[in-house]
Amino acid sequence: RMAALSRAAKAILMALMAAARPNVARHASRRTVVGGMMSLAASKFRARADTSDEYQSYGSTSGAIKSLIQGLTDVTNAVGGAKIQGNVLENQKSYTPDELLRTIREDFTERNYLWTGKLTASAYDPNCRFTDPTLSFVGVGQFQKNLANLSPVIEAIVDKPITRLFKCELQGEGKIIANWEMDGKFRLPWHPRLKLKGQTLYSFNPENKGGRIFSYDESWRITAGEALKQLITPTA
């Protein structure tokens, strides 16, 4: 992703794979750092089993978890090596609300973008703000960089990742809301499974910036700690 890039679950996944890369000598020091961060994360998340029936946003996540995820995201980008892409304005076009809605639906159903990061960049303003319960940053290029570093890892160790789109519709002027679920089993010794329901609010101005999305706000039905805990919890 642009991040979407870096979701808590994906960041930890990348950290795990960074520790297992075949270039042992080259990345030894990074693996040591990642291993320590993973141990710290595991101890914290095992102790937290809070649940909620409401969607969890960036504001509801503790500063400690945000700092942890930011650190892991920085490590994945350093190890992955992908760069922020060039001027995304070159491929941008103007969108009507219906075209934007159709594009978002296709990103879910045809490109599985929550796992692959293959969203339609031209539908987003270059300075769009992307936010989920663990990260908040500006720039569609940054989102693409984050997911470019994660995609090879997802393909390598997640078995048939899927996204279920329950609803994606216009909500008044300048808003599109999507409700979805990510589901994937990991090819790791303890066989963890990530199953995460969420909602994304896409904000756009039909009269400005080509009708493109200027704010991407993702929230989850579980806390960030619970999402990360799924990655250290064995399943059958």
Side-chain angles (χ1 to χ4, degrees):
R1 48 264 253 96
M2 203 221 79
L5 168 155
S6 350
R7 293 168 179 77
K10 292 180 180 178
I12 285 205
L13 173 60
M14 184 62 188
L16 283 167
M17 286 302 294
R21 293 180 75 147
N23 274 346
V24 176
R26 183 178 178 183
H27 298 294
S29 61
R30 285 174 182 164
R31 290 202 313 276
T32 300
V33 173
V34 171
M37 294 174 75
M38 288 298 298
S39 297
L40 175 62
S43 64
K44 288 181 177 294
F45 299 145
R46 287 194 184 102
R48 296 185 180 187
D50 52 326
T51 59
S52 174
D53 291 331
E54 298 181 355
Y55 281 101
Q56 305 297 303
S57 65
Y58 184 75
S60 61
T61 302
S62 72
I65 291 180
K66 291 174 184 175
S67 296
L68 173 66
I69 300 309
Q70 184 61 63
L72 288 171
T73 300
D74 292 342
V75 169
T76 66
N77 284 333
V79 171
K83 304 298 183 181
I84 293 178
Q85 297 184 12
N87 185 6
V88 296
L89 280 172
E90 294 176 359
N91 299 318
Q92 287 201 319
K93 53 172 278 188
S94 296
Y95 284 82
T96 67
D98 287 339
E99 288 174 333
L100 203 58
L101 178 62
R102 182 172 63 252
T103 298
I104 291 171
R105 285 175 174 168
E106 290 173 352
D107 281 348
F108 276 104
T109 61
E110 298 181 13
R111 290 176 278 277
N112 198 17
Y113 89 95
L114 288 178
W115 287 103
T116 66
K118 296 177 181 178
L119 89 176
T120 304
S122 63
Y124 293 79
D125 183 80
N127 295 315
C128 176
R129 174 167 289 280
F130 290 80
T131 303
D132 70 17
T134 62
L135 291 172
S136 182
F137 57 88
V138 173
V140 68
Q142 183 65 48
F143 181 89
Q144 291 173 316
K145 173 185 176 180
N146 291 349
L147 271 298
N149 285 322
L150 287 167
S151 291
V153 180
I154 298 295
E155 294 175 2
I157 70 169
V158 182
D159 188 20
K160 298 179 181 178
I162 62 174
T163 302
R164 301 179 182 94
L165 181 61
F166 302 124
K167 181 179 72 172
C168 184
E169 58 189 24
L170 289 162
Q171 294 280 331
E173 185 175 359
K175 305 288 183 185
I176 294 174
I177 293 181
N179 292 87
W180 45 264
E181 180 181 59
M182 298 176 68
D183 191 356
K185 294 182 179 180
F186 292 70
R187 301 186 192 101
L188 295 171
W190 58 98
H191 307 297
R193 179 182 184 182
L194 177 66
K195 193 170 185 179
L196 174 66
K197 288 185 177 180
Q199 175 177 276
T200 306
L201 172 63
Y202 306 84
S203 300
F204 63 97
N205 186 341
E207 307 300 328
N208 192 22
K209 297 184 177 181
R212 296 183 293 270
I213 299 163
F214 64 81
S215 175
Y216 174 108
D217 192 359
E218 182 177 303
S219 54
W220 303 341
R221 289 302 298 267
I222 59 177
T223 66
E226 289 172 310
L228 296 173
K229 187 177 178 182
Q230 290 184 19
L231 295 182
I232 58 173
T233 301
T235 63

